[in-house]
Amino acid sequence: MSSMSTAQPLTASQLSELKNCSPSNKCAECSSPGPDWASVTYGILICLECAGIHRGLGVHVSFVRSITMDDWSCEQFDRMMRGGNDKWNAYWLKHNSCNVANTPHDHVDRKEMAQRLKAKYESDTARTYREILSSTDNSAATSTSPSTSQTFAATPKKVILPEEPLPTMKLLKSQTVPFLLSLVMQSTKSKFMLLAWGLLGFGSASYAQRLGYQNFSYGLLFLTAGIPYFVIETGARKIATGFLQNRHDSYKSAKNLFTDRISIGRAKRLPNCDVYYPKSGEKKAKVGLVFYPGALVERTAYSPIATELSDRGIVVVVANLEPSRVLLSVNNYNLKEKVMRMISDALFLGGDVWEVEEWSIGGHSMGCFAAIAAVAKEMSSTMKKIVLYGIGSYPDKTYVADCPSLRDVAGVKVLVINGSNDKIATSTVFSGPEKEKIFRKNMPPAPPLASSSGDSVADKNASYTYFETIHGGNHAGCASYGPQTFPIADGVRSITLEEQHRQTAELTAKFLLG
């Protein structure tokens, strides 16, 4: 690979050379066949699931690359050529009495595997081997006492994300109070009860004043107005407290993946959004996707799917909803302006000037409401595709006043992806038993032969909704966090998180690029 002056994809011959360094063609950790990921730090080939665990160790411990999708520098390739699965496993066995390598995933759960590999790669043996590979003298591989001054030049400088600030109770209540008032005004029963209470209170106060009990009359007026205020205030505080105590932080592996992409120039954290860029010398992309996170979910949790999409040539922009991490209503939120600002930032503030031919919008869970409202109300002329993860209800008046039906918007295509084990999207606790019927009534109809691959006989100028189910997937599996128990408990995945991410990214890319 010495002919490569800058980072670029591996050629077929280079891939062959790389695999010849590990002739068994098995993952160095679990012996799964056909590994197509690598830990450059140790010069080993690993499978997708083990790559996820390695990412969780941090790029300063194990720097992970895809041998088929990522760009490689000369130094990284040369380091892999100095390594190899057999060499690393032999070195580990020689210097350790116990062996945690080559343990199949079906013999041990992911958590235990992650703990074993964490202990392994934070050991002195692993540290010494890293330093051995860092030596330009390949004969140093026989040494057990390398200089500790040697460093891994192929590993980028570690990026440290600042801690996200917690929202204040005042900030959260600024959303929960209007939300509760909107719920009250939307319910005919609640409005009737409030009206009856008011008439009873004011009537009683008026009667007491006529009898000469002026102070008692004032007390009745205070209670008439004060009790509803107290109920709303108490309810708003309770909801805000729930939001504060049930924030869904991303898995460490997702954060490490994001910082990995930042370190190689493929991602950027901007004030309004996180941006994931494709590998493109011309800084051009066919499609861009603006994505709204689910309620209380840290935006970094979407890095695995966003990374997969960017590797397929899509610019992905994930909205920053910190510090509250929730958007209960867009009635006082200039949605179109916010979306256009994020697009502008992604194109011009990422370090290079990018060009994107067409933009789409999407979201997860409550974030889907923002995507639907944006297109249904204001942006149908500029955004013709919507991607929705983990959704089963249509935004009501508490979220957006007078939201038009997407079924009435011309030329819009919608992809809905739900996991078969998603207990949140299918719950009727908050939206009532008619929620699925209302949802489908407002969404564009399914095409004659529904398939997100674009192979149906649907009219390209008509509006359609493509419904896809990931069997074994759940609600939190649309990102990297969990388990989710608030506001209701999610179902349990029966497939791996990586598999749900892979299927989600594949369906999304096929829909957006098709």
Side-chain angles (χ1 to χ4, degrees):
M1 198 168 182
S2 58
S3 62
M4 293 175 61
S5 58
T6 58
Q8 55 185 299
L10 298 173
T11 64
S13 62
Q14 290 159 353
L15 277 172
S16 178
E17 288 182 66
L18 209 59
K19 292 181 178 180
N20 286 338
C21 291
S22 302
S24 65
N25 196 30
K26 293 181 179 179
C27 172
E29 307 294 5
C30 68
S31 298
S32 295
D36 54 5
W37 290 80
S39 170
V40 183
T41 314
Y42 299 93
I44 57 175
L45 295 179
I46 52 180
C47 67
L48 173 63
E49 189 161 353
C50 288
I53 297 175
H54 270 255
R55 282 203 186 105
L57 302 174
V59 295
H60 60 297
V61 175
S62 182
F63 183 57
V64 178
R65 312 297 291 150
S66 167
I67 66 175
T68 58
M69 295 184 292
D70 286 327
D71 291 337
W72 286 68
S73 68
C74 299
E75 292 82 3
Q76 291 166 352
F77 181 79
D78 291 343
R79 187 181 181 90
M80 290 293 298
M81 297 303 293
R82 294 199 300 273
N85 291 7
D86 294 342
K87 183 183 292 186
W88 164 231
N89 286 333
Y91 184 90
W92 176 259
L93 283 171
K94 180 179 178 181
H95 295 88
N96 286 270
S97 57
C98 60
N99 177 27
V100 299
N102 302 314
T103 305
H105 288 294
D106 55 357
H107 293 171
V108 62
D109 64 29
R110 178 183 173 86
K111 183 177 180 180
E112 183 178 348
M113 188 74 168
Q115 291 173 342
R116 290 185 181 187
L117 294 187
K118 184 177 188 295
K120 177 180 180 180
Y121 286 102
E122 290 182 353
S123 67
D124 290 337
T125 301
R127 188 178 303 110
T128 299
Y129 191 79
R130 291 199 297 267
E131 293 167 352
I132 289 174
L133 285 191
S134 296
S135 173
T136 56
D137 180 8
N138 197 33
S139 64
T142 60
S143 171
T144 59
S145 302
S147 170
T148 57
S149 63
Q150 293 169 333
T151 58
F152 179 23
T155 301
K157 184 178 179 181
K158 184 182 179 184
V159 176
I160 300 177
L161 297 176
E163 290 290 329
E164 299 288 2
L166 289 174
T168 63
M169 184 60 68
K170 181 179 179 181
L171 176 64
L172 290 174
K173 283 175 61 181
S174 69
Q175 290 202 57
T176 57
V177 170
F179 173 72
L180 280 181
L181 287 173
S182 181
L183 279 179
V184 170
M185 298 311 295
Q186 186 176 256
S187 168
T188 302
K189 182 179 179 181
S190 296
K191 286 191 289 187
F192 176 78
M193 290 177 63
L194 191 61
L195 177 62
W197 173 260
L199 291 174
L200 176 63
F202 286 110
S204 299
S206 178
Y207 181 70
Q209 193 170 32
R210 287 199 303 270
L211 293 177
Y213 300 109
Q214 189 168 357
N215 290 336
F216 183 65
S217 173
Y218 290 155
L220 287 174
L221 289 174
F222 177 79
L223 289 175
T224 301
I227 289 179
Y229 173 82
F230 176 79
V231 170
I232 292 293
E233 177 73 13
T234 302
R237 177 173 287 275
K238 184 176 180 180
I239 295 174
T241 300
F243 287 170
L244 196 59
Q245 295 176 345
N246 293 277
R247 291 160 65 84
H248 305 306
D249 292 334
S250 64
Y251 290 153
K252 185 178 178 181
S253 59
K255 293 180 181 178
N256 289 336
L257 176 58
F258 180 55
T259 56
D260 175 7
R261 287 299 166 122
I262 292 176
S263 69
I264 61 174
R266 292 280 304 279
K268 191 80 171 179
R269 170 147 289 181
L270 301 174
N272 295 310
C273 56
D274 289 348
V275 189
Y276 300 78
Y277 294 103
K279 49 184 180 183
S280 171
E282 298 181 354
K283 309 302 177 187
K284 292 182 179 180
K286 179 181 178 182
V287 175
L289 174 66
V290 177
F291 192 88
Y292 273 84
L296 307 180
V297 181
E298 184 182 0
R299 63 193 184 281
T300 319
Y302 298 93
S303 65
I305 292 177
T307 296
E308 286 283 339
L309 294 177
S310 68
D311 285 341
R312 297 168 187 257
I314 299 169
V315 174
V316 182
V317 181
V318 182
N320 177 15
L321 298 181
E322 298 290 345
S324 64
R325 289 190 190 172
V326 64
L327 188 60
L328 289 177
S329 171
V330 295
N331 290 326
N332 296 312
Y333 176 89
N334 195 328
L335 187 55
K336 182 177 181 180
E337 180 183 325
K338 298 284 187 181
V339 171
M340 297 308 296
R341 173 62 64 86
M342 286 189 284
I343 290 175
S344 176
D345 289 353
L347 294 177
F348 300 109
L349 300 183
D352 295 290
V353 177
W354 276 78
E355 294 181 21
V356 176
E357 292 181 22
E358 61 181 52
W359 284 94
S360 303
I361 192 167
H364 171 221
S365 196
M366 187 172 279
C368 295
F369 291 172
I372 291 172
V375 175
K377 290 204 73 172
E378 301 180 280
M379 305 187 73
S380 60
S381 61
T382 55
M383 290 186 169
K384 295 295 186 181
K385 288 186 176 181
I386 307 174
V387 177
L388 307 176
Y389 301 158
I391 186 175
S393 58
Y394 201 78
D396 57 26
K397 292 180 181 179
T398 62
Y399 190 85
V400 53
D402 303 320
C403 182
S405 171
L406 271 180
R407 187 176 285 259
D408 299 329
V409 180
V412 172
K413 304 294 189 293
V414 185
L415 172 65
V416 176
I417 300 178
N418 285 323
S420 62
N421 297 356
D422 187 337
K423 300 301 182 185
I424 295 176
T426 57
S427 172
T428 58
V429 171
F430 298 107
S431 302
E434 297 292 311
K435 82 168 206 174
E436 183 178 359
K437 181 179 179 181
I438 295 171
F439 177 64
R440 289 185 175 265
K441 177 182 177 182
N442 283 284
M443 300 299 289
L449 294 176
S451 169
S452 59
S453 65
D455 296 331
S456 71
V457 296
D459 181 356
K460 291 185 177 181
N461 295 319
S463 295
Y464 294 110
T465 301
Y466 302 91
F467 291 93
E468 300 284 357
T469 299
I470 296 181
H471 296 284
N474 67 353
H475 196 76
C478 297
S480 286
Y481 71 97
Q484 183 166 344
T485 59
F486 179 86
I488 55 177
D490 190 12
V492 178
R493 285 192 314 276
S494 57
I495 58 175
T496 65
L497 181 61
E498 289 78 9
E499 177 61 19
Q500 184 167 352
H501 288 168
R502 185 193 67 77
Q503 291 189 41
T504 302
E506 185 174 316
L507 289 168
T508 303
K510 191 179 294 186
F511 172 74
L512 292 177
L513 297 172

